[in-house]
Amino acid sequence: MVNVPRLVIAAPASGSGKTTIATGLMRAFTDAGLAVSPHKVGPDYIDPGYHALATGRPGRNLDAYMCGPERIAPLFLHGAAGCDLALVEGVMGLYDGASGQGELASTAHVAKLLKAPVVLVVDASSQSRSVAALVHGFASWDPEVRVAGVILNKVGSDRHEHLLREALEESGVPVLGALRRVRAVDTPSRHLGLVPVAERRADALAAVAAQAAQVRAGCDLQGLLALAHSAPPLADDPWDPTGIACGGLLPHPAPSRNRGSAPDPAAPGLQGLWAGVPQGGTGGHKPTTGPHPTVALAGGPAFTFSYAEHTELLTAAGAEVVTFDPLRDEQLPEHTAALVIGGGFPEMHAAELSANEPLRKAVAALAESGASIAAECAGLLYLSRSLDGRPMCGVLPADARMSERLTLGYREAVAIADNPLAAAGTRVRGHEFHRTVVEPGTGATPAWGMTHPERRTEGFVQGGVHASYLHTHWAGSPGTAHRFMAGLFRR
């Protein structure tokens, strides 16, 4: 049994202010001397960046769709190990989850899996007595979800606060905070949500400090901490990347270091996805490596989307993970044996990425050698011939551009061909999140056959390259890092 004091910070709907308040609470408790473990429900990459800034610890996602409900408590305990308090920011409205799949992956679902009390952040800007009916509805909808406190946000005045508190006295849910609207705590947004920390670090630091000050002034921190301590112990064992990823490849995981700033193909209903598709391999690259092959990980302002567990799994499987910045570094890390390029906003930095011709040529040469390269979303764009007309790495026979259409949602997919990440027939769950288009959208050997919510092929498997719009969480597909690294050790 493991006892971690914890709270889930939820809201009736998106836009209520839960990110601002959750981040402010994380920083306020950290400033008070507590070791705070930050978590985010769902697949979002951007909010955890602010959580990390507030706490000094990696922001971690808890996604029951991609990782499976059975892994939520273990992943939580892994991230919260040694901490005094864990704060979990919810996603969307409290009961909103994977479309058409009930409570799956909702904040309520995760709160139940963690047996954590929920604090509801309510945008009170356009209501008074009605707030009691709203809170009562959320608190009584699912008796297994313990809505144990309310923080009133965007309160207009002292008089308004009095009316709200008076109404809530009969609800049985205590008010643990009341905050006024303050412009200094706002975080700018653009086409995919908040602007990431890496692109505005100084301003982000100031905003997080302002959020903490607002929370200290308006919230009952002692009451919130006492509520967190009321959570019962969890019986699960912490998730262990070493036990999952190593697979006997190496007796000891390698350290990581940073450079720069920062199913079966014949399964019923799936056969048509493979028609005419050659079964690819993983290339024949033979890099110069030591006992721990170097896996270069793209970072910096253009590539900010990465789950902390990916690096942990690669390290446990024997990699020396080295982060580099494609905006600044003109060469890949020394002795690079493989490359991982996650998501981010290359479209906002296309000119700078294109101007770094030495690195583009180095990436193209690595791909030509047959080295394993895993590219998700932003990585797919970077490996294309061009992005909004500017030259990119030219690894893939495709061109990318910005689009008016937002592509967003959970996906189910199956690997069409053997590749560095998965054997043909492997089923995965992931998500898409972009406002770009790659033309053509698939190569001679697609990366995935999408099976839900629609059937289509997507992405590229080309030599040792696996490039796709689909974001996956490797903790939900435990063999991914093992396979990626096993290919390097076999060469």
Side-chain angles (χ1 to χ4, degrees):
M1 304 290 280
V2 184
N3 194 4
V4 179
R6 58 198 180 273
L7 294 174
V8 170
I9 309 301
S14 295
S16 300
K18 62 180 177 291
T19 300
T20 296
I21 290 174
T23 306
L25 286 169
M26 291 172 187
R27 177 61 179 271
F29 281 118
T30 299
D31 288 347
L34 299 182
V36 179
S37 181
H39 303 262
K40 170 70 180 180
V41 177
D44 176 63
Y45 295 98
I46 300 175
D47 293 351
Y50 285 88
H51 298 170
L53 196 65
T55 65
R57 298 177 62 89
R60 296 179 182 271
N61 294 73
L62 299 172
D63 193 301
Y65 184 90
M66 292 199 295
C67 296
E70 72 280 4
R71 293 191 182 94
I72 294 304
L75 284 166
F76 168 81
L77 292 172
H78 169 70
C83 287
D84 304 306
L85 173 67
L87 295 176
V88 181
E89 182 194 339
V91 61
M92 301 184 293
L94 174 59
Y95 294 107
D96 299 326
S99 180
Q101 301 197 48
E103 71 172 6
L104 178 63
S106 67
T107 302
H109 187 204
V110 171
K112 289 160 69 171
L113 292 169
L114 297 180
K115 301 177 182 177
V118 174
V119 176
L120 199 66
V121 175
V122 176
D123 178 353
S125 58
S126 299
Q127 58 184 317
S128 58
R129 190 166 181 264
S130 295
V131 72
L134 176 70
V135 171
H136 173 76
F138 274 84
S140 61
W141 176 260
D142 184 342
E144 294 183 43
V145 177
R146 181 186 168 205
V147 178
V150 177
I151 295 177
L152 301 167
N153 195 28
K154 304 178 186 178
V155 176
S157 64
D158 290 347
R159 173 62 177 164
H160 186 205
E161 179 179 341
H162 173 75
L163 292 172
L164 294 166
R165 288 182 178 273
E166 185 178 58
L168 284 165
E169 284 178 359
E170 298 179 20
S171 72
V173 181
V175 176
L176 296 173
L179 308 179
R180 305 291 194 268
R181 181 187 291 275
V182 179
R183 186 171 297 277
V185 305
D186 292 341
T187 300
S189 299
R190 61 179 180 221
H191 58 285
L192 292 182
L194 301 180
V195 177
V197 165
E199 297 185 42
R200 55 181 301 267
R201 187 171 182 85
D203 289 340
L205 281 167
V208 169
Q211 291 163 2
Q214 185 191 34
V215 161
R216 278 193 293 268
C219 290
D220 177 4
L221 296 183
Q222 290 301 315
L224 287 162
L225 189 58
L227 180 59
H229 277 275
S230 73
L234 293 170
D236 304 79
D237 293 324
W239 180 80
D240 180 5
T242 304
I244 291 169
C246 195
L249 292 174
L250 284 176
H252 303 290
S256 63
R257 57 189 171 94
N258 293 333
R259 190 179 101 180
S261 59
D264 179 359
L270 298 178
Q271 297 93 327
L273 293 173
W274 278 266
V277 173
Q279 294 301 295
T282 57
H285 176 58
K286 295 183 181 297
T288 301
T289 66
H292 298 291
T294 297
V295 174
L297 174 66
F303 298 96
T304 55
F305 292 6
S306 180
Y307 297 125
E309 291 81 5
H310 290 199
T311 297
E312 293 172 342
L313 283 164
L314 285 169
T315 301
E320 181 178 7
V321 180
V322 183
T323 302
F324 71 103
D325 183 355
L327 294 179
R328 194 186 79 174
D329 295 321
E330 293 189 347
Q331 295 297 325
L332 291 167
E334 188 177 10
H335 302 313
T336 290
L339 174 61
V340 176
I341 316 172
F345 290 99
E347 63 269 28
M348 304 304 297
H349 304 276
E352 298 97 316
L353 290 170
S354 184
N356 192 349
E357 186 177 5
L359 183 64
R360 291 194 288 110
K361 288 183 175 180
V363 171
L366 185 71
E368 181 67 23
S369 75
S372 294
I373 299 177
E376 284 187 352
C377 199
L380 168 66
L381 308 186
Y382 188 53
L383 294 184
S384 297
R385 283 185 302 236
S386 66
L387 173 55
D388 286 336
R390 294 183 171 90
M392 291 291 126
C393 295
V395 171
L396 304 174
D399 298 283
R401 59 176 173 81
M402 285 289 290
S403 169
E404 294 289 327
R405 180 172 176 265
L406 173 64
T407 300
L408 171 69
Y410 285 125
R411 304 286 187 262
E412 294 181 17
V414 61
I416 287 184
D418 289 343
N419 63 75
L421 298 183
T426 301
R427 298 174 183 269
V428 300
R429 284 183 163 186
H431 71 100
E432 285 188 84
F433 183 45
H434 58 91
R435 280 191 190 270
T436 59
V437 174
V438 170
E439 297 169 329
T442 187
T445 304
W448 302 110
M450 298 292 187
T451 60
H452 180 81
E454 60 182 354
R455 286 170 53 86
R456 57 185 171 90
T457 56
E458 188 271 340
F460 300 77
V461 171
Q462 179 179 300
V465 176
H466 184 283
S468 166
Y469 268 123
L470 188 69
H471 293 286
T472 59
H473 197 304
W474 291 6
S477 304
T480 301
H482 182 188
R483 181 179 178 86
F484 191 76
M485 292 305 300
L488 304 187
F489 285 109
R490 283 196 298 265
R491 296 188 186 113

